[in-house]
Amino acid sequence: MADADTSRLCVQIVRSHFGPLAANVASALLTRGRLSLAQLIRYTMMKPRSVRAAILVLVQHNILWHSNTDEEGEMLEFNTLECLMRLRFGRFVWQAEQLFGPSGAEIVQLILDHGKLQPPDIISQLSIYNPKSAELPSHPQLLLMRHPGSSLYSQTLYKLVSGAYLKPSTLLSHNSPRDKRIKYEAEEKAKLTGFPTAKELREAMETAEARLKREEEEAESVGLKRKPKDHRSTKRKAIEEDMVDDVVYFRVNFDRFNTYIRNKLIETAVGERFNRSAALVMRATLKSTEAKQKSISDTRSDPTSTAAIAMLISDDENLSGLVTSTKKPSSASLVKDYLGLMSAIDNPTPAGRASSFINLSNNKVYVEFGIIGSRLRRHVLEAVARERHGDDGVRIVRLLLDIGKMDEKQIAKVAMMPNNVVRPLLAALSSDFLISTQEVPRSADRNPTRTFYLWHVDLHKAYSTLLGHLYKTLYNIGMRRQAEQEEPTVKAVLEKRERTDVAQDESLLSRMERDVLKEWETKQEKLTVLEMRVEEAVFILRDLDTVGSNEDS
């Protein structure tokens, strides 16, 4: 089950998107864990018809998992991550418009509004509002240039499916992966004989995880099918093409859109670390492998070359920030210099590798997503430590991250700080869960007077605590937005603006009403900007926590 802050945020999101009845069902599942339909009816004290309708809506939008077990029967479970992803829906639609134009944004928005849809439903629904895009092109050459499908929406839908921006909604995606993982782990552990070692147990868990991932990939491999061959043309050999399968339900692939958020964060980090020219080179490096970036769980990008990166940089861009000579160097040589700078090629040490952004190997360029993600999370941790405990707190956190476990006297000596300053600072950092203690007893009775207390940074614990605080902040932002909107003066002006005559001509509002409306819109804009900044920190701490990242332990 989710913690209290996460549960409150999820209930708030469900209430704002689906209303109070669905929020009541979500609250019961988040508070009590997985429940059956009869238990939900009893705990929510709602009519069975209302509970069923709320469950259908939440399942349609992929927020509820359901499973059948021999012991418990059909059970329902809340999908917390899917619910929290709804905070990024606006960004997903904006990204789709940047990539595929207004038609791509309309398709993504329609699917997000309905949870999952079949291609005929998508085309028919959008063609109602824009019938011209559903017309056949007048010239036959335009028809040949298009992908399968006679409309602009069909062409854009094909691009979204083939580019993995939309993925099929399968039966496996509606079942809790935890049940499958537990089942597969039990099957792998049953194959072991005797007392299994820690290595064997870890290998069994990895095998079960790989098996689950393989099943998900096989289930999501549908979506495209071969277009029937046209036997009327005998002069030219028929070209086999793919087309979108009309019987498959499609949903938005959040991982694919999250790669663009990650790439933008990496580009910003490079610009802050070096300069704007280095950020341009990093943008071109990421764009050269953009088509193969399907998930943010990758620890390293696919290989690319310096020539491919240089081709993606415009000739108008000035990359001569590293050169002071009067002779203008070539763009390829500047790109190579920037790649060497970002790979820390002049510092072939563990510290240099930990501070690098890319890796140069056999004339190939790789972007180190795992190392960058680890460093970005450390920056968030250090920023929180600086905000709450000042520069001295950051110094202690960095010292423990670099060296490891240390006692109080060692910290004071190495950090060059007096003991009367270090002791309360360690207690304050520990109360915020930024650092932790490790007890090392010198005797079997574990007497506190004969025990060493070593301080260290438990990254998993620290990140989890910070993530909980960020969820609480997002909840408070939502409550503040709701309170501002329900203020009597603002509420009266908003209700008046919804009138048909006022909506067409806002000059019917008085000067005082326009001032109230302008002040409310300014507050809403500030709250939205704050929400985006907090959500960016959530993305770094939660979504960039990739498997195999190079973290200090």
Side-chain angles (χ1 to χ4, degrees):
M1 292 189 300
D3 57 10
D5 295 326
T6 309
S7 300
R8 289 194 304 170
L9 178 59
C10 290
V11 172
Q12 184 186 74
I13 294 172
V14 173
R15 178 177 286 107
S16 63
H17 289 197
F18 305 107
L21 297 181
N24 195 7
V25 173
S27 178
L29 290 170
L30 286 166
T31 305
R32 302 178 182 274
R34 55 196 308 176
L35 299 172
S36 62
L37 177 61
Q39 291 171 329
L40 266 178
I41 294 173
R42 183 168 71 251
Y43 290 137
T44 57
M45 294 183 291
M46 294 165 52
K47 294 182 180 179
R49 183 178 179 181
S50 300
V51 175
R52 291 192 187 97
I55 290 174
L56 286 175
V57 170
L58 295 177
V59 169
Q60 172 69 19
H61 286 267
N62 312 301
I63 298 179
L64 287 189
W65 283 316
H66 60 87
S67 59
N68 286 312
T69 59
D70 298 334
E71 300 83 6
E72 300 174 332
E74 185 175 6
M75 303 296 291
L76 299 166
E77 185 178 354
F78 195 85
N79 187 352
T80 305
L81 184 59
E82 187 81 19
C83 180
L84 295 175
M85 280 291 181
R86 303 186 73 83
L87 295 174
R88 299 180 192 161
F89 278 9
R91 190 158 188 171
F92 294 160
V93 175
W94 175 84
Q95 188 64 55
E97 185 176 7
Q98 299 298 312
L99 296 171
F100 304 103
S103 59
E106 291 176 11
I107 292 175
V108 171
Q109 183 174 355
L110 182 66
I111 296 177
L112 290 176
D113 289 341
H114 291 81
K116 58 181 77 70
L117 285 174
Q118 290 179 313
D121 298 330
I122 298 172
I123 302 300
S124 62
Q125 185 74 17
L126 293 176
S127 299
I128 295 175
Y129 302 102
N130 191 4
K132 292 183 179 180
S133 65
E135 296 177 357
L136 289 172
S138 57
H139 199 278
Q141 291 296 328
L142 297 177
L143 181 61
L144 292 175
M145 291 171 60
R146 291 187 175 184
H147 286 285
S150 59
S151 68
L152 174 63
Y153 291 120
S154 298
Q155 178 185 3
T156 308
L157 181 62
Y158 176 84
K159 293 179 181 178
L160 287 167
V161 174
S162 60
Y165 297 94
L166 301 179
K167 65 179 182 179
S169 180
T170 61
L171 293 176
L172 192 62
S173 63
H174 288 82
N175 295 329
S176 175
R178 189 180 301 108
D179 296 337
K180 285 273 188 180
R181 188 178 294 109
I182 293 174
K183 178 183 177 181
Y184 292 162
E185 287 179 2
E187 292 178 358
E188 294 297 329
K189 291 177 182 178
K191 299 177 183 178
L192 303 177
T193 58
F195 291 100
T197 62
K199 181 180 179 181
E200 291 176 341
L201 292 175
R202 185 175 65 253
E203 291 176 350
M205 294 175 62
E206 291 175 354
T207 304
E209 189 69 28
R211 181 180 172 186
L212 179 62
K213 187 176 181 180
R214 186 170 60 253
E215 281 190 0
E216 292 177 353
E217 292 176 352
E218 291 175 357
E220 294 177 358
S221 61
V222 297
L224 294 176
K225 65 178 182 179
R226 287 293 182 187
K227 182 181 179 182
K229 295 182 179 180
D230 188 2
H231 298 286
R232 292 176 297 177
S233 177
T234 57
K235 295 182 179 180
R236 186 177 299 176
K237 185 179 180 181
I239 301 175
E240 293 186 352
E241 293 181 346
D242 291 334
M243 62 183 298
V244 180
D245 196 344
D246 292 341
V247 300
V248 176
Y249 283 87
F250 289 98
R251 52 183 292 194
V252 176
N253 186 4
F254 298 145
D255 268 356
R256 188 70 171 96
F257 284 98
N258 282 336
T259 58
Y260 291 92
I261 302 177
R262 177 196 61 192
N263 293 349
K264 185 61 178 178
L265 287 173
I266 294 175
E267 180 186 339
T268 304
V270 171
E272 293 175 353
R273 175 66 177 83
F274 301 105
N275 56 17
R276 178 179 173 274
S277 300
L280 291 175
V281 175
M282 176 56 75
R283 182 195 304 175
T285 305
L286 293 169
K287 193 171 184 62
S288 63
T289 60
E290 189 177 274
K292 298 180 180 179
Q293 297 174 18
K294 305 296 184 181
S295 174
I296 58 174
S297 61
D298 299 330
T299 58
R300 174 185 280 190
S301 69
D302 288 330
T304 184
S305 62
T306 306
I309 298 171
M311 289 177 61
L312 293 173
I313 299 177
S314 175
D315 296 334
D316 300 332
E317 299 291 349
N318 184 15
L319 300 179
S320 58
L322 296 176
V323 182
T324 57
S325 62
T326 57
K327 185 179 179 181
K328 185 178 179 180
S330 63
S331 178
S333 63
L334 288 174
V335 169
K336 190 174 182 180
D337 292 339
Y338 275 112
L339 292 176
L341 183 65
M342 289 186 288
S343 64
I345 198 171
D346 58 337
N347 186 13
T349 62
R353 184 177 182 274
S355 63
S356 63
F357 287 88
I358 63 175
N359 182 23
L360 300 177
S361 178
N362 298 327
N363 295 326
K364 295 295 182 180
V365 182
Y366 302 86
V367 181
E368 296 288 353
F369 294 136
I371 296 176
I372 298 172
S374 174
R375 191 162 60 250
L376 289 176
R377 289 195 296 277
R378 285 189 57 171
H379 287 172
V380 173
L381 178 64
E382 292 174 2
V384 173
R386 177 176 285 107
E387 180 184 356
R388 297 181 181 178
H389 307 286
D391 293 336
D392 292 340
V394 178
R395 185 190 302 181
I396 291 177
V397 170
R398 287 179 176 175
L399 179 65
L400 295 177
L401 284 172
D402 293 339
I403 297 180
K405 296 182 176 66
M406 302 176 67
D407 64 4
E408 182 182 317
K409 294 180 179 179
Q410 289 176 316
I411 294 174
K413 182 178 179 181
V414 177
M416 294 184 292
M417 299 169 60
N419 288 329
N420 58 354
V421 175
V422 172
R423 187 175 293 110
L425 192 54
L426 289 173
L429 289 169
S430 179
S431 64
D432 289 336
F433 301 99
L434 298 179
I435 62 175
S436 305
T437 56
Q438 175 68 51
E439 298 181 359
V440 182
R442 289 185 291 177
S443 58
D445 59 352
R446 294 182 176 272
N447 192 329
T449 59
R450 293 189 296 272
T451 301
F452 292 110
Y453 293 94
L454 303 180
W455 297 92
H456 69 285
V457 179
D458 188 345
L459 289 176
H460 178 72
K461 182 179 179 182
Y463 293 153
S464 300
T465 304
L466 293 180
L467 201 56
H469 291 326
L470 293 175
Y471 287 155
K472 185 176 181 180
T473 303
L474 288 173
Y475 172 78
N476 292 337
I477 292 172
M479 293 300 296
R480 176 63 184 273
R481 183 184 287 114
Q482 182 179 353
E484 292 287 347
Q485 188 170 352
E486 292 180 352
E487 190 178 348
T489 307
V490 176
K491 189 175 181 180
V493 176
L494 291 176
E495 289 177 354
K496 184 177 180 180
R497 192 175 66 167
E498 291 178 357
R499 285 167 32 188
T500 307
D501 55 342
V502 179
Q504 295 177 355
D505 184 10
E506 289 195 357
S507 62
L508 297 176
L509 296 173
S510 65
R511 181 177 180 180
M512 186 184 68
E513 289 174 339
R514 286 197 295 269
D515 292 341
V516 170
L517 191 61
K518 184 178 180 181
E519 183 181 359
W520 175 77
E521 290 175 348
T522 303
K523 292 180 180 179
Q524 293 295 310
E525 183 179 355
K526 291 180 179 179
L527 289 174
T528 303
V529 172
L530 177 60
E531 186 179 37
M532 290 179 63
R533 290 177 179 174
V534 177
E535 174 59 31
E536 184 177 289
V538 170
F539 180 85
I540 292 173
L541 291 178
R542 185 190 67 203
D543 298 275
L544 289 187
D545 189 12
T546 54
V547 179
S549 60
N550 187 19
E551 295 224 47
D552 298 327
S553 57

